[in-house]
Amino acid sequence: MHMTLSGAFVLMLVASAVAQEPGPIDRTKLYVSKPEACEALQTKGVDAFNDLDFTTLSFTDGIQGMEFHCGFFDVKSKANTSAVLVEAICEEPGFMYPDLIAIGPWDDKTMQVISSYDLQSAAMAEASGEAIDDSENQGQPLGVALYTRCDSLSELPR
């Protein structure tokens, strides 16, 4: 009887873990790098960028910030995985570069965005002994960002 109960307990733990696995990414919604940006965008529109330093991500417009943009050129997905691989071209004032971005669910409302360009830049800075400001990374390694879904927005307010 002891063996049956512990086997049942293990099955309950596994079932619970599987049930809590994040679902697929909702590609119809707008995501923000700071959760408070959802409300700011709803109340102030694009003027929210003036008050709060954040970026947005949508699968139609790519990643956008005050002076930064990554246009998504190809979004690839594969069966049996909720992650996607994005080929992008990113631009900052006076500078353009290609990027390969992995996007996967973090939890039910948040996704993890990993930029190969940012990872490489962080590794080079670390190797050269540069001081790296990771205060914006929400506890994630450099090159990895969390984006929160704005349930009431599917695009940037115009």
Side-chain angles (χ1 to χ4, degrees), residues 99-121:
D99 202 353
L100 196 57
I101 303 168
I103 302 174
W106 180 258
D107 61 29
D108 288 336
K109 192 172 172 133
T110 311
M111 63 184 176
Q112 184 174 209
V113 178
I114 303 144
S115 159
S116 62
Y117 180 85
D118 289 348
L119 284 173
Q120 180 182 7
S121 296

Side-chain angles (χ1 to χ4, degrees), residues 4-146:
T4 305
L5 285 176
S6 45
F9 181 70
V10 169
L11 281 175
M12 284 179 13
L13 283 176
V14 170
S16 173
V18 169
Q20 293 175 359
E21 174 112 0
I25 297 166
D26 185 346
R27 294 191 197 186
T28 66
K29 296 294 184 186
L30 181 73
Y31 292 80
V32 292
S33 60
K34 290 185 177 176
E36 60 270 23
C38 289
E39 186 178 329
L41 284 168
Q42 286 182 310
T43 58
K44 298 180 181 181
V46 292
D47 289 337
F49 284 103
N50 296 326
D51 300 334
L52 189 62
D53 184 25
F54 68 98
T55 54
T56 64
L57 184 151
S58 75
F59 284 87
T60 53
D61 294 326
I63 300 173
Q64 297 188 57
M66 187 66 148
E67 292 187 357
F68 173 79
H69 178 260
C70 281
F72 291 0
F73 280 77
D74 193 13
V75 178
K76 298 176 183 181
S77 55
K78 187 174 179 179
N80 300 323
T81 181
S82 53
V84 296
L85 183 65
V86 177
E87 293 175 355
I89 294 180
C90 301
E91 298 178 72
E92 299 174 22
F95 183 58
M96 178 176 72
Y97 58 92
D99 202 353
L100 196 57
I101 303 168
I103 302 174
W106 180 258
D107 61 29
D108 288 336
K109 192 172 172 133
T110 311
M111 63 184 176
Q112 184 174 209
V113 178
I114 303 144
S115 159
S116 62
Y117 180 85
D118 289 348
L119 284 173
Q120 180 182 7
S121 296
M124 289 172 55
E126 190 173 295
S128 71
E130 274 183 48
I132 301 171
D133 177 18
D134 64 351
S135 60
E136 292 291 316
N137 272 28
Q138 303 174 32
Q140 297 300 305
L142 291 171
V144 179
L146 296 180

Side-chain angles (χ1 to χ4, degrees), residues 143-158:
V144 179
L146 296 180
Y147 279 78
T148 303
R149 184 178 64 232
C150 295
D151 288 322
S152 58
L153 296 171
S154 57
E155 62 182 21
L156 273 176
R158 305 282 177 210

